[in-house]
Amino acid sequence: MKRVRTSPPALTRRSVVGGALAAVTATGVTQGTAEAGAAWAGEPWEPVPVPGHVPVTEYQVPVSGGGSLWCWDTGGDGEPVVLLHPGSGSGESWPYQQPALTAAGFRVVGYSRRGAYGSVAGAKADADTASGDLDTLADLLGLGRFHLSGSAAGGPVAIDYALSYGDRLRSLTVSGSVMGVQDAEYAALTAALQPDPFGDMPVDFKELGPSYRGGDRDGVAAWLEIHARARTSDAFAQSLTHTITWSALETLTLPVQLVTGDADLYSPPSLMRLNAGHLRDVETHVVREAGHNPHWEQPAAWNRLLVDFLRRHRGRR
């Protein structure tokens, strides 16, 4: 693995971790999990500037078929948290999470899947599954047991990993994701939420909520910059190990947190609650004034949810 140490740019950590931004509302609590405290009191929402990265070590992790995964790692002795990016993004999608999770005492790891910024897809015929690639990365970085958080298209990969290697995970968070569920009833429902010409609409319209698009034009521009370079020319659709169904979700025994934005056009709160009904140990949350990327649109609220969840399941075996 090739390693490059990067230097930290200027960073105002208080603007990332603190402050009351968006409301966080617990929409469903199952199996005795605790509700999250809401921060909403009618205050006007104010955007958070995109911070710089904290110090990280960068790697190119070799994977089967001649591919490699661009990865960054904050290091440290804290329990590892691996972040799986949306399909519209890459390993660059987490500037708000790096400082918040590091400050909370966790070792934070992000990477680009095959065909995303900085990574090499390799030969499709010889490629491992997306969850197999993640397990290779976890082995090479010596992560042991870790927490996993997948957003949007990273959600099915996270669930597939939990189905394949659940004994390696302390907890699972899935955010703003249809979760890859293949049941016919669910497929028909999600298709009805995205009628033509939904697929032809601008990506920021589909993935960012109207409040964010209207309230933080600089943030939208920064998100679009990451999106513009997220997909590489050698990209291909990578398979999963399992067919994700509601019956498959019912086999998961680890703690699961589901998060979505109240303006998510792909996975609105009603779909999140539907999926939650097929999980044994689950809590659900809605982030106000956010679309398909609440980790980017309302990072203070999203970070609070993730840090609280990770702390409650720290040390879980």
Side-chain angles (χ1 to χ4, degrees):
M1 292 185 295
K2 184 178 180 181
R3 309 182 181 202
V4 181
R5 191 74 182 181
T6 62
S7 58
L11 173 67
T12 304
R13 183 167 289 167
R14 188 167 73 91
S15 68
V16 180
V17 182
L21 293 181
V24 181
T25 305
T27 62
V29 179
T30 306
Q31 301 297 330
T33 52
E35 294 190 11
W40 180 260
E43 302 93 340
W45 166 66
E46 295 182 2
V48 177
V50 178
H53 290 186
V54 300
V56 298
T57 301
E58 297 185 33
Y59 304 89
Q60 283 290 337
V61 177
V63 287
S64 61
S68 68
L69 308 178
W70 172 62
C71 169
W72 52 261
D73 180 0
T74 63
D77 297 327
E79 290 185 354
V81 183
V82 177
L83 304 174
L84 291 171
H85 63 80
S88 57
S90 68
E92 291 191 294
S93 295
W94 309 107
Y96 292 108
Q97 283 66 53
Q98 281 183 330
L101 293 171
T102 302
F106 294 94
R107 174 185 176 184
V108 193
V109 175
Y111 73 100
S112 290
R113 296 189 294 278
R114 296 180 193 244
Y117 173 83
S119 292
V120 177
K124 182 177 182 178
D126 299 320
D128 200 347
T129 62
S131 56
D133 281 352
L134 172 55
D135 205 53
T136 296
L137 181 145
D139 282 341
L140 290 176
L141 268 60
L143 298 185
R145 292 177 60 84
F146 60 94
H147 303 273
L148 184 59
S149 177
S151 291
V157 180
I159 293 168
D160 191 53
Y161 189 85
L163 292 171
S164 303
Y165 308 99
D167 58 342
R168 296 200 66 168
L169 295 181
R170 297 187 187 277
S171 73
L172 172 64
T173 295
V174 179
S175 176
S177 178
V178 297
M179 299 172 57
V181 174
Q182 297 298 305
D183 295 77
E185 175 187 352
Y186 187 72
L189 180 56
T190 56
L193 290 173
Q194 303 167 35
D196 291 336
F198 182 84
D200 298 326
M201 300 300 290
V203 66
D204 54 331
F205 172 83
K206 292 186 292 184
E207 299 223 359
L208 302 175
S211 185
Y212 183 76
R213 285 184 281 115
D216 190 354
R217 297 307 302 162
D218 289 340
V220 171
W223 184 88
L224 284 170
E225 286 181 12
I226 292 174
H227 168 70
R229 57 178 175 264
R231 195 79 169 166
T232 59
S233 60
D234 62 349
F236 55 79
Q238 196 169 3
S239 63
L240 300 177
T241 304
H242 297 268
T243 299
I244 299 174
T245 61
W246 282 326
S247 60
L249 294 182
E250 291 164 3
T251 67
L252 295 176
T253 59
L254 79 168
V256 180
Q257 175 177 230
L258 302 183
V259 182
T260 198
D262 61 358
D264 191 329
L265 298 178
Y266 291 88
S267 179
S270 57
L271 257 66
M272 178 188 66
R273 290 190 293 267
L274 181 60
N275 286 330
H278 296 276
L279 290 162
R280 299 187 190 187
D281 183 359
V282 64
E283 58 187 84
T284 63
H285 304 279
V286 172
V287 178
R288 300 193 192 199
E289 296 197 64
H292 197 47
N293 289 265
H295 68 279
W296 182 280
E297 300 170 69
Q298 302 291 357
W302 195 89
N303 291 346
R304 282 196 298 271
L305 284 174
L306 184 59
V307 168
D308 177 66
F309 184 69
L310 298 180
R311 283 175 170 165
R312 282 189 278 117
H313 299 290
R314 181 179 271 160
R316 176 187 171 274
R317 295 189 177 279

